[in-house]
Amino acid sequence: MPVPHTPGERLAMERRTIEVIPDAERHGTPRSQFTLWFGANMQITAIVDGALSVVFGADALWAIPALLLGNVLGGIVMALHSAQGPRLGVPQMISSRAQFGVHGAVLPLLLVILMYLGFAATGSVLAGQALSAMLHLDDTRIGILVFGVLTAVVAVTGYRLIHAAGRVATVAGVLGLGYLLVRVFTQYDVGAHVGIKGFEAPTFLLAVGLGAGWQLTFGPYVADYSRYLPRTTSARATFWSTFAGSVIGSQWAMTLGALTAAVAGKAFLTDQVGFLGELAGPAAVALLIYLVIVVGKLTVNCLNAYGGFMAMLTTVTAFDGRSRISATARAASIVGFTAVSIGIALAASADFLDNFKNFVLLILTVFTPWSAINLVDYYLISRERVDIPALYDPRGRYGRWNVTALTCYVVGVAVQVPFLATKLYTGALTERLGGADISWIVGLAVTAVLYGVWARRTADPPAETVHPADTDGDARAAAPVA
């Protein structure tokens, strides 16, 4: 049975890492997933993501529904990952060992770590600019460093404080981004800037890809934040709470971005944070908008830092056999990850928008096959039956390497290459499609079908989910509270 927590315990430092969460420590309701993912998406990087659809050619009138379509499609995949958390009680990338093998799961994990670093660094640049504006600092690097310290403190404290930050970001995001959306319509003649261009398939599909890619990149860590929910939590309730929070939050922010890019043009491109401050109006209100930017970025950057250290631990422990680590090692991993991301942020290129667009599309290429394999296996092949102790044992049911999954993953990435449309490479078939990027659709479909057919012959799921006999006593001895 889940146990109640006192207010002090709610903000106590988390002591669990990659091990199974015992039933006695399960708590909360699916509603917590809504506020976490709504708050994490109501932030400036999502605004920039929406702006990209207009910056790179789409009319806002078509970009907004395209972004919505992408958010919905990607949000379905993302929320299906979230629904695994309460049932299994393990981090998302630990559960992927059931598909790839204990060692084999490391291949996508290395890419996951790079993704977290990329998003943490780009987010730190924008949040650092906002902090510098708030504190009237001439050097943005100081703002980036301060933001890095804040990120490390919240992420080290862990799960409960991150959820608390999500609740604060939800309220701040509704007020701040709602106000900015009103200001766009009151300060500009929006009607004169939208509906100018007709429908263009390439730019429409680019916007769909930006929305879908945004959601799909949450897949590798979304269950990390639902794994503490009681095992009896409805999978449907977890799915819809996560889906609604993530899709509504991201679409709100991206709509603001698309409209802002349409009416402001180069004024927004050169200084995204500064432009939003000016759009806010009076200096006192601009200060509050900068605070909203920082709060929103703090929430999602903590998710990146937390997910980054989980991915690193999952990688290391795949080879050394541990299922738990000490609180000191946990803190050191988070601080180290944050330090690297801040270092990248300090060296970031000024050509932020273009680089970010290509980063999102590249990440989309490598994570759609992973999501396809994980979801097809969990829901269709294994039918939600997992041998949880075997996730930590290379000699167990799932073995070290799963050739089926790894082969399908490589094929899923490879088949997307002819359909890519990025700054670094444009596929031959993309040119025949008029520049439309449908690589992620191809990767998702081909991988799902190939793995679904092949794994039915090779998979060996248990008759029912196998839970550890006891995960509490050993954990207290192995992972002392700091």
Side-chain angles (χ1 to χ4, degrees):
M1 291 287 292
V3 297
H5 297 279
T6 66
E9 288 177 320
R10 291 192 185 102
L11 297 182
M13 184 177 293
E14 182 182 5
R15 63 187 181 87
R16 299 294 179 184
T17 54
I18 61 170
E19 69 266 33
V20 184
I21 305 301
D23 286 344
E25 296 181 20
R26 303 288 193 96
H27 61 278
T29 66
R31 185 171 61 251
S32 66
Q33 303 305 301
F34 177 88
T35 53
L36 175 66
W37 293 107
F38 186 91
N41 282 284
M42 291 284 280
Q43 43 99 357
I44 189 169
T45 313
I47 296 174
V48 171
D49 195 67
L52 290 174
S53 61
V54 174
V55 170
F56 293 102
D59 189 287
L61 187 65
W62 292 107
I64 292 171
L67 289 165
L68 177 60
L69 178 59
N71 275 310
V72 168
L73 294 176
I76 291 171
V77 175
M78 178 261 201
L80 285 171
H81 287 301
S82 179
Q84 299 175 23
R87 185 167 179 84
L88 301 180
V90 300
Q92 187 73 70
M93 295 308 291
I94 288 290
S95 71
S96 73
R97 291 174 174 178
Q99 294 85 48
F100 292 90
V102 176
H103 293 170
V106 169
L107 174 61
L109 267 171
L110 295 175
L111 299 173
V112 166
I113 294 171
L114 290 177
M115 177 188 75
Y116 294 147
L117 282 172
F119 274 106
T122 53
S124 295
V125 171
L126 296 173
Q129 291 172 359
L131 268 173
S132 297
M134 284 176 59
L135 302 175
H136 302 289
L137 301 173
D138 294 330
D139 192 343
T140 303
R141 292 176 296 180
I142 298 176
I144 293 174
L145 290 171
V146 171
F147 183 74
V149 172
L150 291 173
T151 298
V153 169
V154 177
V156 167
T157 303
Y159 182 88
R160 292 193 182 97
L161 186 55
I162 292 173
H163 270 282
R167 291 190 289 273
V168 173
T170 292
V171 176
V174 167
L175 296 176
L177 272 62
Y179 171 77
L180 289 175
L181 195 56
V182 171
R183 290 284 292 181
V184 168
F185 281 92
T186 57
Q187 299 300 305
Y188 294 91
D189 183 1
V190 175
H193 293 84
V194 301
I196 299 173
K197 300 179 182 178
F199 175 82
E200 296 177 350
T203 56
F204 185 87
L205 290 173
L206 170 63
V208 173
L210 288 169
W214 180 268
Q215 296 293 338
L216 290 171
T217 52
F218 290 128
Y221 66 20
V222 60
D224 295 5
Y225 305 97
S226 60
R227 77 192 198 280
Y228 275 92
L229 293 175
R231 195 191 304 179
T232 55
T233 301
S234 164
R236 180 174 297 179
T238 304
F239 171 91
W240 284 113
S241 295
T242 305
F243 175 85
S246 192
V247 171
I248 295 173
S250 59
Q251 184 62 30
W252 187 329
M254 290 181 189
T255 297
L256 174 60
L259 291 174
T260 302
V263 301
K266 293 182 179 180
F268 179 70
L269 303 184
T270 55
D271 182 7
Q272 301 89 43
V273 172
F275 179 84
L276 293 180
E278 292 179 5
L279 178 64
V285 181
L287 184 66
L288 293 176
I289 291 300
Y290 291 139
L291 182 59
V292 168
I293 292 173
V294 172
V295 170
K297 284 312 309 176
L298 180 62
T299 300
V300 75
N301 252 40
C302 287
L303 300 185
N304 291 324
Y306 187 92
F309 102 84
M310 289 288 238
M312 290 189 295
L313 293 184
T314 303
T315 300
V316 172
T317 57
F319 297 97
D320 67 17
R322 288 181 296 167
S323 61
R324 307 176 183 96
I325 67 161
S326 69
T328 301
R330 175 185 178 280
S333 299
I334 294 173
V335 172
F337 175 91
T338 305
V340 173
S341 69
I342 293 302
I344 296 172
L346 293 173
S349 167
D351 194 9
F352 176 79
L353 279 173
D354 198 28
N355 289 334
F356 184 71
K357 171 218 171 186
N358 286 283
F359 174 71
V360 170
L361 293 177
L362 180 62
I363 289 299
L364 183 59
T365 302
V366 299
F367 283 113
T368 47
W370 177 87
S371 280
I373 291 169
N374 178 268
L375 295 179
V376 167
D377 183 84
Y378 182 78
Y379 289 105
L380 300 181
I381 306 298
S382 298
R383 298 187 182 277
E384 304 181 39
R385 298 167 298 174
V386 178
D387 185 343
I388 297 175
L391 297 174
Y392 300 90
D393 184 4
R395 297 165 297 180
R397 177 186 301 274
Y398 303 115
R400 290 178 170 80
W401 309 90
N402 185 316
V403 175
T404 300
L406 290 169
T407 302
C408 291
Y409 177 75
V410 173
V411 171
V413 173
V415 295
Q416 296 179 71
V417 173
F419 300 93
L420 287 175
T422 68
K423 183 177 181 180
L424 298 177
Y425 176 78
T426 299
L429 295 180
T430 301
E431 296 176 351
R432 295 183 182 181
L433 293 171
D437 189 336
I438 61 170
S439 59
W440 67 278
I441 301 174
V442 174
L444 199 63
V446 170
T447 308
V449 172
L450 178 61
Y451 182 79
V453 172
W454 193 352
R456 288 186 186 279
R457 303 176 182 177
T458 59
D460 180 31
E464 59 183 22
T465 295
V466 180
H467 294 277
D470 180 7
T471 61
D472 189 47
D474 292 341
R476 293 182 184 276
V481 178

